[in-house]
Amino acid sequence: MSTPGMEKMEQNDNEGDNFRLHLVTWNVATAEPPVDISSLLHLESPKGPDVYVIGLQEVYSGPLRFMSDVVFDDPWSHCLMTTLAPWNYVKVSSIRMQGLLLLFFSKLEHLPFIRDIQATYTRTGIFGYWGNKGGVSIRLSFYGHMLCFLNCHLSAHMNNATERVIEFEYITDKQIFNCEKAQRILDHRLVFWFGDLNFRIQDHGMHFVRTCISDQNYNLLWSKDQLIMLKKKEKLLQEFEEGPLDFQPTYKFDLNTDLYDSSSKKRKPAWTDRILWRLIPKALPSDKQEECGDRSDANNVGQPEEAKKSLLELSQDLYTSDMQYRISDHKPVIGIFTLKLKKMQTTPLVHLLAEGEWSADIDAMLVYFPKQPFPSSSWDWIGLYKVGFSSVFDYITYTWVKDDEVAVDEEAIKVYMSKDEIPVRGGECVLGYYCNTLQCIIGISEPFKVHASKVAIEEGFLPEKLRGLHRS
């Protein structure tokens, strides 16, 4: 289903160094995921995004569920992963703090250029110890540019507008990353700030607010939106941009309806759910390589200083809500952006390939070629993945790079993988090199065929369908 403004968005080409980012913020009010989230993700759009960033608030975190979610993927993560994996998106990182959840997905082709991933959280709930309010963030290097995504759930109620600003300032100051050039959120070249920020519409009475909404005269309410008002006097807020609120307020609805609060409290509608951004378009003159753990990218060696001041531009293509979802008293908000940048990295750190024929009948060999220096360690591993895998850790098996090296020369390193680890059913697979220091996959092989096991077929351990396929 198309949403207003989507037609305009789809006219933008995603060519060259343009990347499309699809952000969602949604207070799900402890509800389970809906059956169909394709509208939320615009899966029917002919131009799919390069990156999805999903920020949720009030994910159910009862004691038993929360303990289960520590071991297994929570229902929302599982739903998003299983929905996006067939479209060739991989969950690169996620972080959860009680009811706050942030997930970052990328198209497979970009994985080797998303590096130095770090995630953290800050509590601002009861006395700063309770995680019902606060912020969770993911920072990373995207083709050499430092990006940070911050999902917040701030204090509620009309009279706490100033408190919300104080909480935001506390979160941005408190969160520290292990990165020399971007230790704090605001050190990053591009910051997205989104979530249930809980800013309200003050002064206007209920009748006037609802009449403006019914007549779609949203602009008559903007001057009394607390966030817009506070931006006039708060320096930090002035650094952030936001698109026009050309959609109806997303809070507060009766569950399973599109009707605003009809309870005895009659809470006034508000744009509590927001997406803002802060952009520093050029690097500082001293920036030779932005990435924290990899400062030796060969693509930057010998470049004039002006070339290192890489261009970074951001435009918003769509800012809207999705009214069709009724499981929560909030409606989800979607922001779609085009990020234009000059790639500071164009070559993966390693090149991988599967050598010879692969099946569970024989030990296998893979080869990787380091293309540039990178911070390798004894904790690096290479994973075998089915094509269409859902997350970095959704591997079939893996092998420790240093432990299983069998041959090394100046250009190529061969690594052994036991046949006992290879799936007997076979299938289309890829190899991925995971660098522990950078916390990411730094090289992906081309897809290759893993053949079904001949021994398993002969001994009847595989279905008749596979046996017939093998004979043919």
Side-chain angles (χ1 to χ4, degrees):
M1 176 180 292
S2 297
T3 55
M6 192 170 170
E7 294 82 3
K8 175 184 175 183
M9 174 201 71
E10 291 173 352
Q11 293 174 1
N12 294 336
D13 285 333
N14 189 14
E15 297 177 349
D17 293 343
N18 288 344
F19 301 88
R20 184 168 297 177
L21 280 60
H22 185 119
L23 274 68
V24 175
T25 179
W26 192 3
N27 183 322
V28 299
T30 73
E32 297 294 295
V35 174
D36 184 3
I37 59 172
S38 58
S39 173
L40 187 70
L41 303 173
H42 291 185
L43 289 178
E44 301 307 320
S45 171
K47 292 286 187 180
D50 296 277
V51 166
Y52 281 101
V53 185
I54 314 293
L56 304 178
Q57 307 86 40
E58 292 194 22
V59 174
Y60 180 68
S61 56
L64 292 178
R65 167 63 66 80
F66 191 76
M67 291 303 296
S68 172
D69 293 347
V70 170
V71 181
F72 306 102
D73 290 315
D74 65 273
W76 280 96
S77 295
H78 178 75
C79 174
L80 288 160
M81 289 162 63
T82 54
T83 300
L84 288 171
W87 297 80
N88 215 29
Y89 292 96
V90 177
K91 189 188 83 170
V92 177
S93 181
S94 67
I95 183 168
R96 181 172 180 185
M97 181 186 74
Q98 205 160 310
L100 271 171
L101 177 63
L102 179 59
L103 303 107
F104 184 99
F105 293 85
S106 167
K107 276 187 175 178
L108 179 64
E109 66 199 72
H110 303 307
L111 277 191
F113 305 100
I114 302 174
R115 305 176 189 168
D116 195 49
I117 302 160
Q118 298 179 48
T120 189
Y121 62 87
T122 302
R123 298 183 178 96
T124 61
I126 303 170
F127 304 113
Y129 291 104
W130 189 242
N132 62 322
K133 294 291 193 295
V136 292
S137 64
I138 294 173
R139 67 87 52 205
L140 49 85
S141 168
F142 186 74
Y143 287 94
H145 298 267
M146 294 183 292
L147 313 183
C148 187
F149 302 86
L150 172 63
N151 172 28
C152 287
H153 192 186
L154 304 180
S155 292
H157 307 306
M158 180 71 73
N159 59 354
N160 282 333
T162 303
E163 180 67 25
R164 290 188 268 277
V165 178
I166 293 172
E167 289 177 350
F168 176 53
E169 292 176 339
Y170 175 77
I171 291 167
T172 57
D173 185 62
K174 184 76 172 176
Q175 293 195 358
I176 305 294
F177 300 101
N178 182 26
C179 178
E180 180 182 346
K181 295 185 181 298
Q183 292 185 335
R184 288 182 166 84
I185 290 173
L186 298 180
D187 294 333
H188 289 77
R189 184 78 70 81
L190 175 59
V191 177
F192 285 96
W193 172 39
F194 49 97
D196 181 358
L197 308 186
N198 254 322
F199 291 103
R200 309 302 172 100
I201 299 171
Q202 66 182 48
D203 299 336
H204 290 314
M206 177 71 80
H207 177 73
F208 180 78
V209 171
R210 292 202 176 191
T211 299
C212 289
I213 295 171
S214 298
D215 297 340
Q216 298 186 13
N217 291 324
Y218 307 129
N219 59 306
L220 299 180
L221 303 174
W222 294 346
S223 65
K224 296 301 180 181
D225 174 81
Q226 290 179 336
L227 181 53
I228 293 174
M229 294 170 69
L230 285 164
K231 284 187 72 173
K232 296 177 181 179
K233 61 180 183 179
E234 297 288 345
K235 184 177 180 180
L236 177 56
L237 297 184
Q238 291 169 8
E239 297 179 14
F240 284 82
E241 299 182 61
E242 183 181 19
L245 298 168
D246 286 330
F247 52 93
Q248 68 185 83
T250 53
Y251 172 85
K252 175 183 189 336
F253 292 87
D254 292 337
L255 291 181
N256 303 311
T257 76
D258 292 328
L259 303 174
Y260 285 107
D261 187 13
S262 63
S263 71
S264 58
K265 293 184 178 181
K266 290 286 193 300
R267 277 159 289 206
K268 197 171 14 175
W271 285 289
T272 58
D273 311 285
R274 312 287 276 268
I275 300 174
L276 298 91
W277 69 93
R278 174 184 180 269
L279 174 67
I280 303 173
K282 288 187 177 181
L284 298 174
S286 61
D287 281 353
K288 295 181 180 179
Q289 169 63 29
E290 289 197 348
E291 193 164 318
C292 304
D294 174 22
R295 303 186 182 91
S296 56
D297 193 328
N299 296 316
N300 283 328
V301 175
Q303 288 188 357
E305 200 65 43
E306 284 300 312
K308 295 168 185 173
K309 298 180 184 179
S310 301
L311 180 68
L312 194 69
E313 297 178 359
L314 186 75
S315 59
Q316 187 171 55
D317 304 309
L318 183 67
Y319 190 31
T320 190
S321 62
D322 195 327
M323 293 293 294
Q324 74 170 278
Y325 294 101
R326 301 184 175 100
I327 60 172
S328 168
D329 56 350
H330 292 250
K331 301 297 183 181
V333 170
I334 299 167
I336 297 181
F337 300 84
T338 296
L339 177 62
K340 183 178 180 180
L341 56 81
K342 178 184 176 183
K343 293 178 181 178
M344 296 173 68
Q345 300 154 349
T346 57
T347 305
L349 295 177
V350 301
H351 176 65
L352 280 162
L353 60 87
E355 187 174 78
E357 183 175 301
W358 279 51
S359 80
D361 297 324
I362 54 173
D363 295 331
M365 200 72 66
L366 60 93
V367 184
Y368 75 90
F369 304 82
K371 309 302 288 186
Q372 301 165 31
F374 67 92
S376 61
S377 77
S378 58
W379 295 102
D380 289 3
W381 48 269
I382 294 174
L384 176 67
Y385 298 87
K386 279 285 183 72
V387 169
F389 64 100
S390 62
S391 79
V392 170
F393 298 102
D394 182 28
Y395 46 74
I396 300 167
T397 186
Y398 65 89
T399 183
W400 295 107
V401 174
K402 300 297 183 183
D403 290 351
D404 295 318
E405 284 182 1
V406 294
V408 181
D409 62 30
E410 293 183 357
E411 296 183 354
I413 302 171
K414 292 188 177 184
V415 180
Y416 157 91
M417 184 172 285
S418 169
K419 64 182 180 181
D420 297 332
E421 304 295 332
I422 298 174
V424 296
R425 292 174 178 268
E428 290 292 317
C429 294
V430 294
L431 296 165
Y433 187 116
Y434 185 86
C435 174
N436 188 69
T437 303
L438 299 178
Q439 294 288 290
C440 61
I441 287 178
I442 59 173
I444 291 279
S445 74
E446 292 293 323
F448 63 96
K449 178 74 172 180
V450 175
H451 298 278
S453 167
K454 296 177 183 178
V455 173
I457 292 171
E458 292 169 357
E459 296 183 1
F461 293 137
L462 293 182
E464 187 65 35
K465 181 179 178 181
L466 272 180
R467 279 181 261 165
L469 184 64
H470 176 74
R471 286 195 296 270
S472 64

